[in-house]
Amino acid sequence: MAQTDSLALDRVMPALSRLADHNLLWIVLALGLRASGDRWASRAAWRGLGSVAAASATANILAKGLAARGRPDFEVPATRWLARQPRTSSFPSGHAASAAAFATGVALEMPGLAAPVIALATAVTASRVMTGVHYPSDVLAGAAIGCAAGAMTVRWWPRRPVTPAAAIRPPRRAPASPAGDGLVLVLNTGAGTVSSKLVQWLRAQLPQAVLIEAAPGPGFVAQLRLAAAKARILGVAGGDGTVSAASAVALDHGLPLLMIPAGTFNHFAADLGIRSAHDAVTALTNGEAVLVDVGIAGNRPFVNTSSTGIYVDLVQAREQLEGALGKGPAALIGLIQVLRRARPHELILDGRRRRLWLYFAGNCRYEPPGTAPAYRPDLSDGCLDIRVIDARRLARSRLIAAVATGTLGRSRVYHSWQARSADVASADGRPIWLSVDGEVATAETGFRQGKHQRGLLVYRRAAS
């Protein structure tokens, strides 16, 4: 390989090898994926960079420290020499490890990019042999480390399935409205991706719809109720909190809900299979919808989760760090920060007194088991996903260790089960701070959780 006589290889291979120095090539590609604005591309970028970090540390610090192998002594054309010859151990190749790790991480999130990113990674790996700085066995070992690092990220950050959650098809089809007739759409102007461009696109696609731009705050629910009073179809654009509020209003008025995902994370929309405004509008045009469960905590409905304890603080801490660190490391560091200042809660859960760091109830069963809740395979299973963390001796240290090693499901302080309903009460008679779909409010000294008697009719493409 190294002695192959080719003018093209003499020019391309050294340049490609230099581009991959210090992981610059993969960082630039990750920034490009992030800049695309696509949720799945962003996930691919973070998983790719997280894989690179793990693979690079394993190859360059651990493996090279154990294997003192000299660099190849075979000759290559002078035009293919690198300006700076590496002086570290030849085995394994750190460049190959990073290349394979990034390709694996990206391919796990976006299979459509698998072919080009694997081809690029393979070219970078080959360039290390072509420029004479590695043996083939060096790059093969590095690639194996990289693939393993990429695959291991799934243990800490579960991969969301490409197929959306199952749901019940309604006995009667939802009303079709190709031009938006009968639709009143409320846009939360404080949501993450509600922009003038989105508003213009929606006006062009739904010329007969009534669009209302409303600021977040105490008056937002009132705007939703006014909209529902004169609508045949209630629409909302925003994140999970916005969708939760709109779901409650839609249920009260017996209306189908059109959901435009325009928040930061859009967990409910992702589970439902609505990735964009285009998906939602297509479903509206064709009158395609499903019935999904809505959870109830006291008198407050929720579409994703409700919880007491450290969960709210943990989510906020993780979101502050996630942009710089990625979801897995951010969750671990956020957990450490929250547990340092938090205090356990004395609750009576289904008649049993328990001292807990966390009580969590998900609307339908979350997957995968034994990890932090990631996604739901079924949005109409009639169950609550209950998860608790006991405040036992050394519980904080054991919990952090379990999260760091990906063994949360086997931790003795972590318990999960499914139930149709749950009764939660404060052991000391004080009001319980309850988080519902990310929004925090005081509750009574006790509340019952279950499912709303009616399902929520929400638009979704039939292909989903």
Side-chain angles (χ1 to χ4, degrees):
M1 289 175 65
Q3 294 177 354
T4 300
D5 186 15
S6 168
L7 181 60
L9 292 177
D10 292 347
R11 292 179 177 177
V12 172
M13 286 300 169
L16 191 58
S17 186
R18 287 192 298 270
L19 275 176
D21 286 347
H22 309 295
N23 297 315
L24 178 62
L25 175 61
W26 315 121
I27 293 172
V28 170
L29 289 177
L31 290 174
L33 289 171
R34 284 277 292 169
S36 70
D38 181 80
R39 171 184 170 85
W40 293 87
S42 181
R43 287 174 60 93
W46 286 121
R47 192 181 293 277
L49 289 181
S51 303
V52 167
S56 184
T58 302
N60 294 317
I61 298 176
L62 180 61
K64 284 183 181 291
L66 297 175
R69 185 182 198 179
R71 296 285 170 171
D73 57 1
F74 52 80
E75 295 183 1
V76 298
T79 53
R80 216 177 291 168
W81 289 352
L82 297 178
R84 294 183 180 180
Q85 293 294 313
R87 298 172 181 262
T88 57
S89 172
S90 180
F91 184 91
S93 167
H95 281 65
S98 294
F102 187 81
T104 302
V106 170
L108 282 171
E109 291 294 341
M110 298 188 72
L113 290 180
V117 77
I118 289 174
L120 180 60
T122 302
V124 169
T125 300
S127 74
R128 303 302 285 175
V129 177
M130 302 293 281
T131 54
V133 295
H134 279 294
Y135 295 103
S137 56
D138 298 337
V139 297
L140 289 175
I145 291 172
C147 290
M152 285 294 290
T153 61
V154 178
R155 190 176 184 88
W156 287 272
W157 186 12
R159 178 174 175 261
R160 180 181 287 276
V162 177
T163 56
I168 298 174
R169 289 290 169 187
R172 295 181 181 178
R173 291 187 63 182
S177 182
D181 179 42
L183 169 67
V184 181
L185 177 59
V186 182
L187 299 100
N188 184 349
T189 56
T193 57
V194 172
S195 62
S196 58
K197 183 178 180 181
L198 174 62
V199 175
Q200 292 172 5
W201 185 85
L202 289 170
R203 291 190 189 280
Q205 296 295 316
L206 306 168
Q208 296 181 23
V210 177
L211 270 61
I212 301 173
E213 297 182 55
F220 186 77
V221 174
Q223 290 273 25
L224 286 171
R225 295 194 180 281
L226 288 174
K230 53 186 177 182
R232 186 166 57 99
I233 303 166
L234 180 63
V236 67
D240 289 309
T242 304
V243 171
S244 180
S247 299
V249 175
L251 284 171
D252 288 344
H253 288 77
L255 298 175
L257 180 67
L258 175 70
M259 179 177 56
I260 307 294
T264 304
F265 295 102
N266 304 309
H267 294 297
F268 183 64
D271 285 341
L272 199 58
I274 301 175
R275 297 192 180 187
S276 64
H278 180 269
D279 288 345
V281 171
T282 301
L284 175 68
T285 299
N286 298 327
E288 298 163 350
V290 291
L291 281 170
V292 299
D293 287 355
V294 175
I296 295 291
N299 59 358
R300 298 187 64 187
F302 63 95
V303 294
N304 289 324
T305 64
S306 67
S307 64
T308 65
I310 65 172
Y311 187 74
V312 179
D313 294 335
L314 175 58
V315 170
Q316 292 174 345
R318 188 203 72 200
E319 290 177 354
Q320 290 175 356
L321 299 169
E322 188 172 344
L325 302 178
K327 191 169 185 176
L332 178 60
I333 295 174
L335 179 63
I336 295 172
Q337 292 176 346
V338 170
L339 287 176
R340 286 179 59 187
R341 60 176 182 266
R343 293 290 180 271
H345 294 243
E346 296 284 348
L347 298 176
I348 299 175
L349 177 56
D350 288 332
R352 178 186 173 190
R353 187 182 182 114
R354 305 185 69 159
R355 192 165 179 261
L356 302 174
W357 285 110
L358 167 71
Y359 167 78
F360 167 95
N363 176 36
C364 301
R365 177 175 56 88
Y366 274 86
E367 290 284 350
T371 67
Y375 61 90
R376 289 164 287 184
D378 191 338
L379 285 171
S380 55
D381 62 10
C383 293
L384 294 174
D385 190 324
I386 309 295
R387 306 191 182 202
V388 300
I389 298 174
D390 287 327
R392 297 181 182 179
R393 185 172 178 269
L394 300 177
R396 285 182 284 191
S397 300
R398 292 160 72 177
L399 179 62
I400 292 170
V403 173
T405 57
T407 58
L408 185 62
R410 296 193 293 273
S411 174
R412 293 184 178 182
V413 301
Y414 176 87
H415 309 280
S416 64
W417 65 93
Q418 280 79 53
R420 296 290 177 178
S421 62
D423 290 300
V424 183
S426 171
D428 56 12
R430 297 179 181 178
I432 300 172
W433 284 97
L434 177 68
S435 168
V436 174
D437 286 333
E439 303 294 329
V440 182
T442 54
E444 302 296 327
T445 55
F447 56 89
R448 182 175 180 82
Q449 289 189 302
K451 292 298 182 80
H452 199 284
Q453 60 183 356
R454 297 195 308 272
L456 174 68
L457 185 62
V458 59
Y459 285 92
R460 181 176 86 172
R461 296 176 62 180
S464 298

